[in-house]
Structure formats: structure tokens, C-alpha cells
Amino acid sequence: MNLYLSTSDTAINTLYTSSDGTVLYKTHTPTKLSGKTTTTISRAVPSDIPMREGESALEQIGEQRFALLAQIDWRLISPTIIRFGWGWYTKCVVHFRSMVFRVIKTSRNRVFTGPDGKEYKWILHNDSKLVTNDASQRPIAVYHRKHHGYFHPKREAFLEVLPQAEHMLDIVLITYVFVEKIRKENEEAAATV
């Protein structure tokens, strides 16, 4: 499954659509001068699912309703926290292990344990990819940057989630948003040196 980004220069303020243009996810990160920012990741709710009594959609775009999937509290000093919740917060918090990439010191891989109990590793490069954190390093998802058509065929930016990971699509997207912000910050920092 491919998730196309409506805004290719940021993973934290965009719509994620399917190949037919259906909006599946939405991310929003308000700019704050205090340095404390929170990215809200929302998932589209199918129209045939009725709202529970007393429940309201987080947001609507046209007829499409969205519900809270997760929030990422970006921190400068203490570790960033990812909180999951479907309309309310659960006590599920994800912690990433960092692995220093030996060749490029500004690049780091991020390892997490998925809902299936297996470890996965995001490898942060130009096109970040998610692999199993074992000897096989089997691909799970790959981010493809936008191409403007100068040196490569023109295409929009998209996150390709391979069939073996579609059962944990929410987790793949949430962790992608987290690592892509870090990858982009590392890239910008390296460009200013």
C-alpha cells in the first residue's frame, strides 16, 4: 500500500492518501514559540461506522471524519514521547532505542518493538526504510521522496508499506512521522555545517 503525502516537504503537516486519492491519515503540528510542540496524527473513520454516544470526531474534512490515532510530544531535552489513543489516551507509550550509524555521525537508526513482539529498525537515509531488526533485515516500508522530473521520472512523495506490514499500518505511519522529522532535522543541520 502506498500512502501519498499532500505536502512532500514535511511529514508532520500533511494528508496521507491512497492511490485513488482517499484521505486515510492526517498530521498536524502547530508552530509554537515555546519550543514544545505536539504532532497530532489522525486516522480517517469510515462513514459507515456510527459515532458512539457522546463522542465527536476530532475533525472533519468535507464528509470525512477523523479520530485521534496518536500524538508525538517533541522535546528538546527529555526524550520525545509517542502516545497512542483512539479518542482517549491509553497508557501505551513507545520508546525507541538509538543505534549510532558508524559512517555518518549525524545519522541514527531507530529501533522499536512492534505489536507482534518483533523488533523493527528505521534506517534514516535519503529514502528512509523500515526493516526487521534481525540478520535478514527484510524490508517493511520505504519512504520515496518527491521527484520533480529533472533527473528522474516525476512522482509525488509517498510511503510504501509492503504487504507483510499492512496489519500494523498505523504503527508504521506513526513511527515514520517520528523518524522522518528527525531525518529531516539531521539533513538540515548537515547542510548548514
Side-chain angles (χ1 to χ4, degrees), residues 11-188:
I12 61 173
N13 278 312
T14 193
L15 298 175
Y16 293 86
T17 63
S18 63
S19 57
D20 68 0
T22 303
V23 178
L24 301 175
Y25 297 94
K26 182 179 103 110
T27 57
H28 177 66
T29 308
T31 304
K32 293 187 178 177
L33 298 176
S34 67
K36 292 182 179 181
T37 57
T38 298
T39 297
T40 300
I41 303 168
S42 306
R43 178 176 47 187
V45 177
S47 60
D48 60 341
I49 295 178
M51 285 189 196
R52 289 184 258 177
E53 188 176 324
E55 182 181 49
S56 63
L58 181 66
E59 189 169 339
Q60 255 180 267
I61 298 177
E63 295 296 314
Q64 184 65 64
R65 293 181 296 150
F66 289 87
L68 176 66
L69 180 61
Q71 289 187 314
I72 304 173
D73 294 326
W74 304 102
R75 311 266 173 90
L76 296 175
I77 298 171
S78 58
T80 293
I81 303 234
I82 301 174
R83 296 178 290 166
F84 293 83
W86 289 266
W88 56 90
Y89 292 126
T90 65
K91 293 188 179 187
C92 182
V93 176
V94 172
H95 295 282
F96 282 83
R97 283 194 298 121
S98 294
M99 297 175 61
V100 177
F101 190 56
R102 293 183 183 151
V103 178
I104 304 170
K105 292 191 177 195
T106 60
S107 177
R108 292 184 179 263
N109 297 334
R110 296 296 193 273
V111 177
F112 69 96
T113 303
D116 53 6
K118 297 178 183 173
E119 279 197 345
Y120 297 92
K121 175 172 60 176
W122 275 103
I123 300 171
L124 307 181
H125 287 294
N126 286 337
D127 287 346
S128 296
K129 64 181 177 179
L130 178 63
V131 299
T132 56
N133 191 31
D134 57 22
S136 71
Q137 293 208 348
R138 189 179 43 150
I140 300 298
V142 180
Y143 170 64
H144 301 273
R145 287 183 177 206
K146 179 178 184 170
H147 288 225
H148 297 282
Y150 304 122
F151 302 108
H152 303 283
K154 188 175 183 176
R155 71 165 187 225
E156 294 302 314
F158 68 97
L159 177 63
E160 176 186 14
V161 180
L162 301 175
Q164 62 266 27
E166 287 184 6
H167 70 284
M168 57 181 210
L169 183 61
D170 291 347
I171 301 296
V172 171
L173 179 75
I174 293 164
T175 57
Y176 160 74
V177 170
F178 172 77
V179 300
E180 181 58 17
K181 181 177 184 289
I182 292 168
R183 185 204 62 77
K184 187 170 181 164
E185 286 173 349
N186 288 345
E187 184 179 81
E188 289 170 354

